[in-house]
Coordinates of all heavy atoms in Angstrom, one line a residue:
M214 N -20.4 9.5 12.5 CA -19.1 8.8 12.5 C -18.1 9.6 11.4 O -18.0 9.1 10.3 CB -19.2 7.4 12.1 CG -19.9 6.5 13.2 SD -20.1 4.8 12.6 CE -18.3 4.3 12.5
P215 N -17.5 10.7 11.9 CA -16.7 11.4 10.9 C -15.5 10.6 10.4 O -14.9 10.8 9.3 CB -16.2 12.6 11.7 CG -16.5 12.3 13.1 CD -17.6 11.3 13.1
E216 N -15.1 9.6 11.2 CA -13.9 8.8 10.8 C -14.2 7.9 9.5 O -13.3 7.4 8.9 CB -13.4 7.8 11.9 CG -14.4 6.8 12.4 CD -15.4 7.3 13.5 OE1 -15.6 8.5 13.5 OE2 -16.0 6.5 14.2
T217 N -15.5 7.8 9.2 CA -15.8 7.0 8.0 C -15.3 7.7 6.7 O -15.0 7.1 5.7 CB -17.3 6.8 7.8 OG1 -17.9 8.1 7.9 CG2 -17.8 5.8 8.8
L218 N -14.9 9.1 6.8 CA -14.3 9.7 5.7 C -13.0 9.1 5.4 O -12.6 8.7 4.2 CB -14.2 11.2 6.0 CG -13.5 12.0 4.8 CD1 -14.3 12.0 3.6 CD2 -13.4 13.5 5.2
A219 N -12.2 8.9 6.5 CA -10.8 8.3 6.3 C -11.0 6.8 5.8 O -10.2 6.3 5.0 CB -10.1 8.4 7.6
H220 N -12.0 6.1 6.4 CA -12.2 4.7 6.0 C -12.5 4.7 4.5 O -12.0 3.7 3.8 CB -13.4 4.1 6.8 CG -13.2 4.1 8.3 ND1 -14.2 3.9 9.2 CD2 -12.1 4.3 9.0 CE1 -13.8 3.9 10.4 NE2 -12.4 4.1 10.4
S221 N -13.3 5.6 4.0 CA -13.6 5.5 2.6 C -12.4 5.7 1.7 O -12.2 5.2 0.7 CB -14.7 6.6 2.3 OG -15.8 6.4 3.0
V222 N -11.5 6.6 2.2 CA -10.3 6.9 1.4 C -9.4 5.6 1.4 O -9.0 5.2 0.3 CB -9.5 8.1 2.0 CG1 -8.1 8.2 1.4 CG2 -10.3 9.4 1.9
V223 N -9.3 4.9 2.5 CA -8.5 3.7 2.5 C -9.2 2.6 1.7 O -8.5 1.9 1.0 CB -8.3 3.2 4.0 CG1 -7.6 1.9 4.0 CG2 -7.5 4.3 4.7
L224 N -10.5 2.6 1.7 CA -11.2 1.7 0.8 C -10.8 1.9 -0.7 O -10.6 1.0 -1.5 CB -12.7 1.8 1.0 CG -13.6 0.8 0.2 CD1 -13.4 -0.6 0.6 CD2 -15.1 1.2 0.4
V225 N -10.8 3.2 -1.1 CA -10.5 3.5 -2.5 C -9.0 3.2 -2.7 O -8.8 2.8 -3.9 CB -10.8 5.1 -2.7 CG1 -10.2 5.5 -4.0 CG2 -12.2 5.3 -2.6
V226 N -8.2 3.4 -1.8 CA -6.7 3.0 -2.0 C -6.7 1.5 -2.3 O -5.9 1.1 -3.3 CB -5.9 3.4 -0.8 CG1 -4.5 2.8 -0.9 CG2 -5.7 4.9 -0.6
G227 N -7.4 0.7 -1.6 CA -7.4 -0.7 -1.8 C -7.9 -1.1 -3.2 O -7.3 -1.9 -3.9
D228 N -9.0 -0.4 -3.6 CA -9.5 -0.6 -4.9 C -8.6 -0.2 -6.0 O -8.3 -0.9 -7.0 CB -10.8 0.2 -5.2 CG -12.0 -0.4 -4.4 OD1 -11.9 -1.5 -3.9 OD2 -13.0 0.3 -4.1
L229 N -8.0 1.0 -5.8 CA -6.9 1.4 -6.8 C -5.8 0.4 -6.9 O -5.3 0.2 -8.0 CB -6.5 2.8 -6.3 CG -5.3 3.5 -7.2 CD1 -5.6 5.0 -7.2 CD2 -4.0 3.2 -6.6
W230 N -5.4 -0.1 -5.7 CA -4.3 -1.0 -5.7 C -4.5 -2.2 -6.5 O -3.7 -2.7 -7.3 CB -3.9 -1.4 -4.3 CG -2.5 -1.8 -4.0 CD1 -1.8 -2.8 -4.6 CD2 -1.7 -1.3 -3.0 NE1 -0.6 -2.9 -4.0 CE2 -0.5 -2.0 -3.0 CE3 -1.8 -0.3 -2.0 CZ2 0.6 -1.8 -2.2 CZ3 -0.8 0.0 -1.1 CH2 0.4 -0.8 -1.3
I231 N -5.7 -2.8 -6.3 CA -6.1 -4.0 -7.1 C -6.2 -3.7 -8.6 O -5.7 -4.5 -9.4 CB -7.4 -4.6 -6.5 CG1 -7.2 -5.1 -5.1 CG2 -8.0 -5.7 -7.4 CD1 -8.5 -5.4 -4.4
A232 N -6.9 -2.6 -8.9 CA -7.0 -2.2 -10.3 C -5.6 -2.0 -11.0 O -5.4 -2.4 -12.1 CB -7.9 -1.0 -10.4
A233 N -4.7 -1.3 -10.2 CA -3.4 -1.1 -10.8 C -2.7 -2.3 -11.1 O -2.0 -2.5 -12.1 CB -2.6 -0.2 -9.8
R234 N -2.7 -3.2 -10.1 CA -2.0 -4.5 -10.3 C -2.5 -5.3 -11.4 O -1.7 -5.9 -12.2 CB -2.0 -5.3 -9.0 CG -1.2 -4.8 -7.8 CD 0.3 -4.8 -8.2 NE 0.8 -6.2 -8.3 CZ 1.5 -6.8 -7.3 NH1 1.7 -6.2 -6.2 NH2 1.9 -8.0 -7.5
A235 N -3.8 -5.2 -11.6 CA -4.4 -5.9 -12.8 C -3.9 -5.3 -14.1 O -3.9 -6.0 -15.2 CB -5.9 -5.8 -12.7
E236 N -3.5 -4.1 -14.1 CA -3.0 -3.4 -15.3 C -1.4 -3.4 -15.3 O -0.8 -2.8 -16.2 CB -3.4 -1.9 -15.3 CG -4.9 -1.7 -15.5 CD -5.5 -2.2 -16.8 OE1 -4.7 -2.2 -17.8 OE2 -6.6 -2.7 -16.8
G237 N -0.8 -4.2 -14.4 CA 0.6 -4.3 -14.4 C 1.3 -3.1 -13.8 O 2.6 -2.9 -14.0
I238 N 0.6 -2.4 -13.0 CA 1.2 -1.2 -12.3 C 1.4 -1.6 -10.9 O 0.5 -2.1 -10.2 CB 0.3 0.0 -12.5 CG1 0.1 0.4 -14.0 CG2 0.8 1.2 -11.7 CD1 -1.0 1.4 -14.3
E239 N 2.6 -1.2 -10.3 CA 2.8 -1.5 -8.9 C 2.5 -0.2 -8.1 O 2.6 0.9 -8.6 CB 4.4 -1.9 -8.8 CG 4.8 -2.2 -7.3 CD 4.0 -3.3 -6.6 OE1 2.8 -3.1 -6.4 OE2 4.6 -4.3 -6.4
V240 N 2.1 -0.5 -6.9 CA 1.8 0.6 -6.0 C 2.7 0.5 -4.8 O 2.9 -0.5 -4.2 CB 0.3 0.5 -5.6 CG1 -0.1 1.7 -4.6 CG2 -0.6 0.5 -6.8
G241 N 3.2 1.7 -4.3 CA 3.9 1.7 -3.0 C 3.3 2.8 -2.1 O 2.8 3.9 -2.6
W242 N 3.1 2.4 -0.9 CA 2.5 3.3 0.1 C 3.6 3.8 1.0 O 4.3 3.0 1.6 CB 1.4 2.6 0.9 CG 0.6 3.4 1.8 CD1 0.9 4.5 2.5 CD2 -0.8 3.2 2.1 NE1 -0.1 4.9 3.3 CE2 -1.2 4.2 3.0 CE3 -1.8 2.2 1.7 CZ2 -2.5 4.2 3.5 CZ3 -3.0 2.3 2.2 CH2 -3.4 3.3 3.1
V243 N 3.8 5.1 1.0 CA 4.9 5.7 1.7 C 4.3 6.3 3.0 O 3.6 7.2 3.0 CB 5.6 6.8 0.9 CG1 6.8 7.3 1.7 CG2 6.0 6.3 -0.5
S244 N 4.7 5.6 4.1 CA 4.1 6.1 5.4 C 5.3 6.5 6.4 O 5.0 7.0 7.4 CB 3.3 5.0 6.1 OG 4.1 3.9 6.3
L245 N 6.6 6.3 5.9 CA 7.7 6.7 6.8 C 8.0 8.1 6.4 O 9.0 8.4 5.7 CB 8.9 5.8 6.6 CG 8.6 4.3 6.9 CD1 9.8 3.4 6.6 CD2 8.3 4.1 8.4
L246 N 7.2 9.1 6.9 CA 7.4 10.5 6.6 C 6.7 11.3 7.7 O 6.1 10.7 8.6 CB 6.8 10.8 5.2 CG 5.3 10.2 4.9 CD1 4.2 10.9 5.7 CD2 5.0 10.4 3.4
H247 N 6.9 12.6 7.6 CA 6.3 13.5 8.6 C 5.1 14.1 7.8 O 5.2 15.0 7.0 CB 7.2 14.7 9.0 CG 8.5 14.1 9.7 ND1 8.4 13.6 11.0 CD2 9.8 14.0 9.3 CE1 9.6 13.2 11.3 NE2 10.4 13.5 10.3
P248 N 3.8 13.6 8.2 CA 2.6 14.0 7.5 C 2.4 15.5 7.5 O 2.0 16.1 6.5 CB 1.5 13.2 8.2 CG 2.1 12.8 9.4 CD 3.5 12.6 9.3
E249 N 2.7 16.2 8.6 CA 2.5 17.6 8.6 C 3.4 18.4 7.6 O 3.0 19.4 7.1 CB 2.7 18.2 10.1 CG 4.0 17.9 10.7 CD 4.3 16.6 11.2 OE1 3.4 15.7 11.2 OE2 5.5 16.2 11.4
E250 N 4.6 17.8 7.4 CA 5.5 18.4 6.4 C 4.9 18.3 5.0 O 4.9 19.2 4.1 CB 6.8 17.8 6.5 CG 7.9 18.4 5.6 CD 8.3 19.8 6.0 OE1 7.9 20.3 7.1 OE2 8.9 20.5 5.2
V251 N 4.3 17.1 4.7 CA 3.7 16.9 3.4 C 2.5 17.8 3.2 O 2.3 18.4 2.1 CB 3.3 15.4 3.2 CG1 2.6 15.2 1.8 CG2 4.5 14.5 3.3
E252 N 1.7 17.9 4.3 CA 0.5 18.8 4.2 C 0.9 20.3 4.0 O 0.3 21.0 3.2 CB -0.2 18.7 5.6 CG -1.0 17.4 5.7 CD -1.3 17.0 7.2 OE1 -1.2 18.0 8.0 OE2 -1.6 15.9 7.5
R253 N 2.0 20.6 4.6 CA 2.6 22.0 4.4 C 3.0 22.2 2.9 O 2.7 23.2 2.3 CB 3.7 22.3 5.3 CG 4.2 23.7 5.4 CD 5.5 23.8 6.2 NE 6.6 23.2 5.7 CZ 7.3 23.6 4.6 NH1 6.9 24.7 4.0 NH2 8.4 23.0 4.2
L254 N 3.8 21.2 2.4 CA 4.3 21.3 1.0 C 3.1 21.4 0.0 O 3.2 22.1 -1.0 CB 5.2 20.2 0.7 CG 6.5 20.2 1.4 CD1 7.3 18.8 1.2 CD2 7.4 21.3 0.8
L255 N 2.0 20.7 0.3 CA 0.9 20.6 -0.6 C -0.1 21.8 -0.4 O -1.0 22.0 -1.1 CB 0.1 19.3 -0.4 CG 0.8 18.0 -0.8 CD1 0.0 16.8 -0.5 CD2 1.2 18.1 -2.3
G256 N 0.2 22.5 0.7 CA -0.7 23.6 1.0 C -2.1 23.1 1.4 O -3.1 23.8 1.1
A257 N -2.2 22.0 2.1 CA -3.5 21.4 2.5 C -4.2 22.3 3.5 O -3.6 22.7 4.4 CB -3.3 20.0 3.0
P258 N -5.4 22.6 3.2 CA -6.2 23.5 4.2 C -6.4 22.7 5.5 O -6.4 21.5 5.5 CB -7.5 23.7 3.5 CG -7.7 22.7 2.4 CD -6.3 22.2 2.1
P259 N -6.6 23.4 6.6 CA -6.9 22.8 7.9 C -8.1 21.8 7.7 O -9.0 22.1 7.0 CB -7.2 23.9 8.8 CG -6.6 25.1 8.2 CD -6.7 24.9 6.7
G260 N -8.0 20.7 8.4 CA -9.1 19.7 8.3 C -8.9 18.7 7.2 O -9.8 17.8 7.0
Y261 N -7.9 18.8 6.4 CA -7.6 17.9 5.3 C -6.2 17.2 5.6 O -5.2 17.5 5.0 CB -7.6 18.6 4.0 CG -8.9 19.0 3.5 CD1 -9.5 20.1 4.0 CD2 -9.6 18.2 2.6 CE1 -10.8 20.5 3.6 CE2 -10.9 18.6 2.2 CZ -11.5 19.8 2.7 OH -12.8 20.1 2.3
P262 N -6.2 16.2 6.5 CA -5.0 15.6 6.8 C -4.5 14.6 5.7 O -5.3 14.1 5.0 CB -5.3 14.8 8.1 CG -6.8 14.4 8.0 CD -7.3 15.7 7.3
L263 N -3.2 14.4 5.7 CA -2.7 13.4 4.8 C -3.1 12.0 5.2 O -3.0 11.6 6.4 CB -1.1 13.4 4.8 CG -0.4 12.4 3.9 CD1 -0.6 12.7 2.5 CD2 1.0 12.3 4.3
L264 N -3.7 11.2 4.3 CA -4.2 9.9 4.6 C -3.3 8.8 3.9 O -3.1 7.8 4.4 CB -5.7 9.7 4.2 CG -6.6 10.5 5.0 CD1 -8.1 10.4 4.5 CD2 -6.6 10.1 6.5
A265 N -2.9 9.1 2.7 CA -2.1 8.2 2.0 C -1.2 8.9 1.0 O -1.7 9.7 0.2 CB -3.0 7.2 1.2
Y266 N 0.1 8.5 0.9 CA 1.1 9.1 0.0 C 1.4 7.8 -0.9 O 2.0 6.9 -0.4 CB 2.2 9.6 0.7 CG 3.3 10.2 -0.2 CD1 3.7 11.5 0.1 CD2 4.0 9.5 -1.2 CE1 4.8 12.1 -0.7 CE2 5.0 10.1 -1.9 CZ 5.4 11.4 -1.7 OH 6.3 11.9 -2.5
L267 N 1.0 7.8 -2.1 CA 1.1 6.6 -3.0 C 2.0 6.9 -4.2 O 2.0 8.0 -4.7 CB -0.3 6.1 -3.5 CG -1.3 5.9 -2.4 CD1 -2.7 5.6 -3.1 CD2 -0.9 4.7 -1.5
C268 N 2.8 5.9 -4.5 CA 3.7 6.0 -5.7 C 3.1 4.9 -6.6 O 3.1 3.7 -6.3 CB 5.1 5.7 -5.4 SG 5.7 6.8 -4.1
L269 N 2.9 5.2 -7.9 CA 2.4 4.2 -8.9 C 3.4 4.2 -10.1 O 3.9 5.3 -10.5 CB 1.1 4.5 -9.4 CG -0.1 4.2 -8.5 CD1 -0.3 5.3 -7.5 CD2 -1.4 4.0 -9.3
G270 N 3.7 3.1 -10.6 CA 4.5 3.0 -11.8 C 4.7 1.6 -12.3 O 4.3 0.6 -11.6
Y271 N 5.3 1.5 -13.5 CA 5.5 0.2 -14.1 C 6.9 -0.3 -13.5 O 7.9 0.4 -13.8 CB 5.6 0.3 -15.6 CG 4.2 0.6 -16.2 CD1 3.9 1.9 -16.6 CD2 3.3 -0.4 -16.4 CE1 2.6 2.2 -17.1 CE2 2.1 -0.1 -17.0 CZ 1.7 1.2 -17.3 OH 0.5 1.5 -17.9
P272 N 6.9 -1.4 -12.9 CA 8.1 -1.9 -12.3 C 9.0 -2.5 -13.4 O 8.6 -2.9 -14.4 CB 7.7 -3.0 -11.4 CG 6.4 -3.5 -11.9 CD 5.8 -2.3 -12.6
K273 N 10.4 -2.4 -13.1 CA 11.3 -2.9 -14.1 C 11.3 -4.5 -14.0 O 11.7 -5.1 -15.0 CB 12.8 -2.4 -13.8 CG 12.9 -1.0 -14.1 CD 14.4 -0.5 -13.8 CE 14.5 0.9 -14.1 NZ 15.7 1.5 -13.6
A274 N 10.9 -5.0 -12.9 CA 10.9 -6.5 -12.8 C 9.9 -6.9 -11.7 O 9.5 -6.1 -10.9 CB 12.3 -7.0 -12.4
W275 N 9.5 -8.1 -11.8 CA 8.5 -8.7 -10.8 C 9.3 -9.8 -10.1 O 9.2 -11.0 -10.5 CB 7.2 -9.2 -11.4 CG 6.4 -8.2 -11.9 CD1 6.3 -7.7 -13.3 CD2 5.4 -7.3 -11.3 NE1 5.4 -6.7 -13.4 CE2 4.8 -6.5 -12.3 CE3 4.9 -7.3 -10.0 CZ2 3.8 -5.6 -11.9 CZ3 3.9 -6.4 -9.7 CH2 3.4 -5.6 -10.6
P276 N 10.1 -9.5 -9.0 CA 10.9 -10.6 -8.4 C 10.0 -11.7 -7.8 O 8.9 -11.4 -7.4 CB 11.6 -9.9 -7.3 CG 11.5 -8.4 -7.5 CD 10.3 -8.2 -8.4
E277 N 10.5 -12.9 -7.9 CA 9.7 -14.0 -7.4 C 9.5 -14.0 -5.9 O 8.5 -14.2 -5.3 CB 10.4 -15.4 -7.7 CG 10.4 -15.8 -9.2 CD 8.9 -16.2 -9.5 OE1 8.3 -16.9 -8.7 OE2 8.5 -15.9 -10.6
E278 N 10.6 -13.5 -5.2 CA 10.6 -13.4 -3.8 C 10.3 -11.9 -3.3 O 10.9 -11.0 -3.8 CB 12.0 -13.8 -3.2 CG 12.0 -13.9 -1.7 CD 13.4 -14.4 -1.2 OE1 14.4 -14.2 -2.0 OE2 13.5 -14.8 -0.1
P279 N 9.3 -11.8 -2.4 CA 9.0 -10.4 -1.9 C 10.3 -9.7 -1.4 O 11.1 -10.3 -0.8 CB 8.0 -10.7 -0.8 CG 7.4 -11.9 -1.1 CD 8.5 -12.7 -1.8
L280 N 10.3 -8.3 -1.6 CA 11.5 -7.6 -1.3 C 11.9 -7.7 0.2 O 13.0 -7.9 0.5 CB 11.2 -6.1 -1.7 CG 12.3 -5.1 -1.3 CD1 13.6 -5.5 -2.1 CD2 11.9 -3.7 -1.6
L281 N 10.9 -7.5 1.1 CA 11.2 -7.6 2.5 C 11.7 -9.0 2.9 O 12.5 -9.0 3.8 CB 10.0 -7.2 3.3 CG 9.5 -5.7 3.1 CD1 8.3 -5.4 4.0 CD2 10.6 -4.7 3.5
Q282 N 11.2 -10.0 2.3 CA 11.7 -11.4 2.6 C 13.1 -11.5 2.1 O 14.0 -12.0 2.8 CB 10.7 -12.4 1.9 CG 11.1 -13.8 2.2 CD 10.1 -14.8 1.6 OE1 8.9 -14.5 1.6 NE2 10.5 -15.9 1.1
R283 N 13.4 -11.0 0.9 CA 14.7 -11.0 0.4 C 15.7 -10.2 1.3 O 16.9 -10.6 1.4 CB 14.8 -10.4 -1.0 CG 15.5 -11.2 -2.0 CD 15.5 -10.7 -3.4 NE 14.4 -9.8 -3.8 CZ 14.5 -8.7 -4.5 NH1 15.6 -8.4 -5.0 NH2 13.4 -8.0 -4.8
A284 N 15.2 -9.2 1.9 CA 16.1 -8.3 2.7 C 16.2 -8.9 4.1 O 17.0 -8.4 4.9 CB 15.5 -6.9 2.9
G285 N 15.6 -10.1 4.4 CA 15.8 -10.7 5.6 C 15.0 -10.2 6.8 O 15.2 -10.5 7.9
W286 N 13.9 -9.4 6.5 CA 13.0 -9.0 7.5 C 12.2 -10.1 8.2 O 12.2 -10.2 9.4 CB 12.0 -8.0 7.0 CG 12.5 -6.6 6.8 CD1 13.8 -6.2 6.5 CD2 11.8 -5.4 7.0 NE1 13.9 -4.9 6.4 CE2 12.7 -4.3 6.8 CE3 10.5 -5.1 7.4 CZ2 12.3 -3.0 6.9 CZ3 10.1 -3.8 7.5 CH2 11.0 -2.7 7.3
R287 N 11.7 -11.0 7.4 CA 10.8 -12.1 7.9 C 10.6 -13.1 6.8 O 10.4 -12.7 5.6 CB 9.5 -11.5 8.3 CG 8.6 -12.4 9.1 CD 7.4 -11.5 9.6 NE 6.3 -12.4 9.6 CZ 5.1 -12.0 10.0 NH1 4.9 -10.8 10.4 NH2 4.0 -12.8 10.0
P288 N 10.6 -14.4 7.0 CA 10.3 -15.4 6.0 C 8.8 -15.3 5.7 O 8.0 -14.9 6.5 CB 10.7 -16.7 6.7 CG 10.6 -16.5 8.2 CD 10.9 -15.0 8.3
G289 N 8.5 -15.8 4.5 CA 7.1 -15.8 4.1 C 6.3 -16.9 4.8 O 6.9 -17.9 5.3
A290 N 5.0 -16.7 5.0 CA 4.1 -17.7 5.6 C 3.4 -18.5 4.5 O 3.0 -17.9 3.5 CB 3.1 -17.0 6.6
P291 N 3.1 -19.7 4.8 CA 2.4 -20.5 3.8 C 0.9 -20.1 3.7 O 0.3 -19.6 4.6 CB 2.4 -21.9 4.4 CG 2.7 -21.8 5.8 CD 3.4 -20.5 6.0
L292 N 0.5 -20.1 2.5 CA -0.9 -19.7 2.2 C -1.8 -20.9 2.3 O -2.2 -21.6 1.4 CB -1.0 -19.1 0.8 CG -0.3 -17.8 0.5 CD1 -0.3 -17.4 -0.9 CD2 -0.9 -16.7 1.4
R293 N -2.0 -21.3 3.6 CA -2.6 -22.7 3.9 C -4.0 -22.8 3.2 O -4.3 -23.8 2.6 CB -2.8 -22.8 5.4 CG -1.5 -23.1 6.1 CD -1.7 -23.5 7.5 NE -0.5 -23.3 8.2 CZ -0.2 -22.2 8.9 NH1 -1.0 -21.3 9.0 NH2 1.0 -22.1 9.5
R294 N -4.8 -21.8 3.4 CA -6.2 -21.8 2.8 C -6.1 -22.0 1.3 O -6.8 -22.8 0.7 CB -7.0 -20.6 3.2 CG -8.4 -20.7 2.9 CD -9.2 -19.6 3.5 NE -10.5 -19.5 2.9 CZ -11.6 -20.2 3.4 NH1 -11.5 -20.9 4.4 NH2 -12.7 -20.1 2.8
Y295 N -5.2 -21.2 0.7 CA -5.1 -21.3 -0.8 C -4.6 -22.6 -1.2 O -5.1 -23.3 -2.2 CB -4.1 -20.2 -1.2 CG -3.8 -20.3 -2.7 CD1 -4.6 -19.8 -3.6 CD2 -2.6 -20.8 -3.2 CE1 -4.4 -19.9 -5.0 CE2 -2.2 -20.8 -4.5 CZ -3.2 -20.4 -5.4 OH -2.9 -20.4 -6.7
Q296 N -3.6 -23.2 -0.4 CA -3.1 -24.5 -0.8 C -4.2 -25.6 -0.6 O -4.1 -26.6 -1.4 CB -1.9 -24.8 0.1 CG -0.6 -24.0 -0.2 CD 0.4 -24.0 0.8 OE1 0.2 -24.3 2.0 NE2 1.6 -23.6 0.5
Q297 N -5.0 -25.5 0.4 CA -6.1 -26.5 0.5 C -7.2 -26.4 -0.5 O -8.1 -27.2 -0.6 CB -6.6 -26.3 2.0 CG -5.7 -26.8 3.1 CD -6.0 -26.3 4.4 OE1 -7.1 -25.7 4.6 NE2 -5.2 -26.5 5.4
G298 N -7.3 -25.2 -1.1 CA -8.3 -25.0 -2.1 C -9.5 -24.3 -1.4 O -9.7 -24.5 -0.3
F299 N -10.1 -23.5 -2.2 CA -11.3 -22.7 -1.6 C -12.5 -23.6 -1.8 O -12.7 -24.4 -2.7 CB -11.5 -21.4 -2.4 CG -10.4 -20.4 -2.1 CD1 -9.3 -20.3 -3.0 CD2 -10.4 -19.6 -1.0 CE1 -8.3 -19.4 -2.7 CE2 -9.4 -18.7 -0.7 CZ -8.3 -18.6 -1.6
P300 N -13.5 -23.4 -0.8 CA -14.7 -24.2 -0.9 C -15.5 -23.8 -2.2 O -15.4 -22.8 -2.7 CB -15.5 -23.8 0.3 CG -14.9 -22.5 0.8 CD -13.5 -22.4 0.3
Ligands
FMN119 C1 -0.4 1.2 5.2 C2 0.9 0.9 4.5 C3 2.0 1.6 4.7 C4 3.3 1.3 4.0 N1 4.3 2.1 4.2 C5 5.5 1.8 3.6 C6 6.6 2.6 3.8 O1 6.6 3.7 4.5 N2 7.7 2.3 3.1 C7 7.8 1.2 2.4 O2 8.9 0.9 1.8 N3 6.8 0.4 2.1 C8 5.6 0.7 2.8 N4 4.5 -0.1 2.5 C9 4.7 -1.3 1.7 C10 4.6 -0.9 0.2 O3 3.7 0.2 -0.1 C11 4.1 -2.0 -0.6 O4 3.1 -2.7 0.0 C12 5.1 -2.9 -0.9 O5 6.2 -2.3 -1.5 C13 4.6 -4.0 -1.9 O6 5.6 -5.0 -2.1 P1 5.3 -6.3 -2.8 O7 4.6 -5.9 -4.1 O8 6.6 -7.0 -3.0 O9 4.3 -7.1 -1.9 C14 3.3 0.2 3.2 C15 2.2 -0.6 3.0 C16 1.0 -0.3 3.6 C17 -0.3 -1.1 3.3

């Protein structure tokens, strides 16, 4: 299952994301790009495709309302399970 290599990278991204947030660091995943252009700029050898382009940094603010919700993309959904309490 060669695709497990990509799965493992995404798993690490998730772990990094949780660890970063615990340290007050925000993570952004940039996927609106041309991956082959990034691979070219980085000089990535054949067989090493771009899997994740991440930006990490200390945010200037932590807005109460998520950015995409504020921009009118979609309203937030209730966290029903959280509100009902975990078993
Ligand atoms: C797979 C994936 C791809 C994403 N691609 C983009 C992207 O191209 N542009 C963007 O602005 N946000 C993208 N995001 C969202 C941000 O990386 C990030 O999740 C968001 O800014 C976090 O906002 P929040 O802290 O308000 O929830 C992507 C998220 C994921 C999980």
Side-chain angles (χ1 to χ4, degrees):
M214 289 181 65
E216 63 273 23
T217 51
L218 179 59
H220 298 166
S221 298
V222 171
V223 174
L224 181 66
V225 168
V226 170
D228 289 345
L229 177 145
W230 205 306
I231 293 167
R234 288 296 292 262
E236 296 294 331
I238 297 169
E239 180 60 293
V240 180
W242 189 323
V243 185
S244 58
L245 300 174
L246 44 69
H247 298 289
E249 59 286 345
E250 185 66 13
V251 177
E252 290 159 14
R253 190 187 65 75
L254 288 168
L255 294 175
Y261 287 80
L263 177 69
L264 293 177
Y266 183 125
L267 304 172
C268 304
L269 285 82
Y271 292 99
K273 289 183 180 166
W275 293 94
E277 285 293 318
E278 190 180 15
L280 177 63
L281 295 181
Q282 186 175 319
R283 227 178 335 141
W286 278 35
R287 192 173 143 179
L292 297 172
R293 288 192 199 90
R294 189 170 166 90
Y295 175 74
Q296 287 164 342
Q297 289 164 3
F299 292 96

